[in-house]
């Protein structure tokens, strides 16, 4: 089924990039692979929606499972990228897990944030060995950004993430939750706020702006009950995101866009 979907997308010049979210934000895998966590978990979410049943990065057996999955993704998807996620990792269990603490001691890591960075770096090397580049959400900056990863900036409150990413020579994709999360409620200014957004202002060093690869709108569907509602949430904001990504500032014209947006409706 996925091969058919990839081919359908390719015919329309769309590249599908798989995301295998590690080591947290991973209920879809930890619910099935019970032994990959550090042990007993409460499955209670924090205020940010983080769950404590994340992958254990101390268990050596977990790396064989991950590598098998990555090998399959690398063959299945022609995309040069695989997204590792790396976001919203609740590290409570790592602090009391003997395997994770042994891993930290083995590599001289002082904090669990450094442990996550070490894990992300290890995964990136494996991705690279399979001919793939790694993408991750901006949390992968914490504890030390790996050399060749592409960062997706989603936490609009992490103001330094764009400049931190580009200053190290890493590629950057703009997807700040405000205003690019299409599951957020719309108001009368939503479309215009997207259309007038200027990503390059977040990267003041003009010599680094070429590292900005584009923009992305996200729509998370856990609170969206139907395909029709999803379409309602995405339109017309997705039109503004597309034009923002494909147009230079001197070509943008809000009045003209409104006319063309009416034709889209």
């Amino acid at each position: 089924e996925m091969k058919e979907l990839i081919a359908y997308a390719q015919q329309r010049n769309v590249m599908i990039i798989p995301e295998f979210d590690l080591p947290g934000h991973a209920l879809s895998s930890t619910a099935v692979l019970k032994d990959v966590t550090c042990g007993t978990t409460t499955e209670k979410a924090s205020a940010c929606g983080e769950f404590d049943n994340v992958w254990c990065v101390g268990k050596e057996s977990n790396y064989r499972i991950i590598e098998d999955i990555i090998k399959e993704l690398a063959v299945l998807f022609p995309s040069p990228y695989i997204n590792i996620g790396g976001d919203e990792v609740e590290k409570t269990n790592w602090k009391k897990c003997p395997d994770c603490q042994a891993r930290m001691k083995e590599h001289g890591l002082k904090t669990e944030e450094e442990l996550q960075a070490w894990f992300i770096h290890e995964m990136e090397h494996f991705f690279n060995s399979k001919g793939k580049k790694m993408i991750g959400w901006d949390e992968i900056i914490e504890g030390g950004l790996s050399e060749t990863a592409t960062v997706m900036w989603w936490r609009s409150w992490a103001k330094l993430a764009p400049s931190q990413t580009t200053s190290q020579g890493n590629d950057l994709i703009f997807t700040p939750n405000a205003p690019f999360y299409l599951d957020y409620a719309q108001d009368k200014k939503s479309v215009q706020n997207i259309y007038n957004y200027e990503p390059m202002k977040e990267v003041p060093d003009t010599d680094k702006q070429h590292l900005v690869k584009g923009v992305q709108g996200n729509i998370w569907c856990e609170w969206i009950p139907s395909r029709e509602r999803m379409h309602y949430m995405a339109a017309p904001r997705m039109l503004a995101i597309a034009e923002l990504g494909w147009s230079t500032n001197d070509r943008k014209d809000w009045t003209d866009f409104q006319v063309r947006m009416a034709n889209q409706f």
Side-chain angles (χ1 to χ4, degrees):
E1 289 176 349
M2 182 54 67
K3 288 179 180 178
E4 291 179 5
L5 185 58
I6 291 169
Y8 180 90
Q10 284 180 322
Q11 290 168 3
R12 291 153 181 82
N13 299 309
V14 173
M15 178 195 300
I16 297 179
I17 298 174
E19 179 175 356
F20 178 24
D21 218 330
L22 292 167
H25 211 299
L27 281 175
S28 58
S29 56
T30 58
V32 177
L33 304 169
K34 298 290 187 180
D35 295 332
V36 302
T37 61
C38 295
T40 304
T41 58
T42 63
E43 296 193 3
K44 291 182 179 179
S46 71
C48 295
E50 298 175 0
F51 288 83
D52 62 2
N53 53 345
V54 303
W55 283 69
C56 175
V57 297
K59 291 180 180 178
E60 195 61 36
S61 57
N62 279 356
Y63 293 88
R64 307 292 81 78
I65 298 172
I66 292 170
E67 288 174 0
D68 283 345
I69 294 171
I70 297 301
K71 287 176 184 177
E72 185 172 351
L73 292 177
V75 172
L76 180 59
F77 289 89
S79 160
Y81 299 98
I82 295 177
N83 192 330
I84 197 173
D87 57 321
E88 297 183 337
V89 181
E90 167 52 61
K91 303 177 179 69
T92 300
N93 286 337
W94 287 1
K95 296 178 180 179
K96 54 189 178 185
C97 171
D99 292 323
C100 289
Q101 292 303 309
R103 183 77 70 182
M104 290 174 64
K105 184 176 181 181
E106 176 188 0
H107 295 282
L109 307 173
K110 297 181 176 61
T111 67
E112 282 69 30
E113 285 69 29
E114 290 182 4
L115 178 59
Q116 180 179 348
W118 174 85
F119 171 79
I120 295 294
H121 295 173
E122 288 294 298
M123 290 297 98
E124 182 173 22
H125 293 321
F126 186 71
F127 283 22
N128 294 161
S129 74
K130 299 303 170 188
K132 301 295 184 180
K133 302 175 185 178
M134 188 181 77
I135 297 178
W137 301 99
D138 60 63
E139 283 96 329
I140 67 173
I141 299 172
E142 299 169 2
L145 181 62
S146 50
E147 304 88 359
T148 61
T150 296
V151 173
M152 301 180 70
W153 178 50
W154 76 274
R155 296 180 301 169
S156 58
W157 63 92
K159 299 295 186 183
L160 297 179
S163 57
Q164 288 175 330
T165 300
T166 55
S167 66
Q168 297 184 50
N170 292 70
D171 289 343
L172 178 68
I173 299 168
F174 276 87
T175 176
N177 63 316
F180 286 177
Y181 274 29
L182 305 184
D183 48 305
Y184 286 11
Q186 304 173 74
D187 61 38
K188 62 183 180 181
K189 294 183 178 179
S190 294
V191 177
Q192 190 169 10
N193 286 342
I194 293 171
Y195 191 84
N196 292 329
Y197 185 74
E198 296 185 40
M200 293 308 179
K201 286 187 175 180
E202 308 290 349
V203 185
D205 186 348
T206 56
D207 291 337
K208 300 294 185 179
Q209 290 182 351
H210 69 281
L211 296 169
V212 176
K213 296 305 176 186
V215 296
Q216 173 178 295
N218 295 328
I219 184 162
W220 310 112
C221 292
E222 63 264 44
W223 300 111
I224 297 178
S226 67
R227 181 175 59 181
E228 289 73 22
R229 181 67 181 183
M230 185 269 289
H231 289 166
Y232 170 81
M233 297 300 290
R237 287 180 290 182
M238 64 180 181
L239 303 174
I241 290 174
E243 188 145 328
L244 173 66
W246 293 331
S247 303
T248 56
N249 282 338
D250 63 315
R251 293 296 302 276
K252 287 164 63 177
D253 183 329
W254 170 245
T255 302
D256 180 63
F257 176 77
Q258 287 180 290
V259 173
R260 291 182 288 108
M261 183 168 59
N263 292 334
Q264 291 285 350
F265 280 130

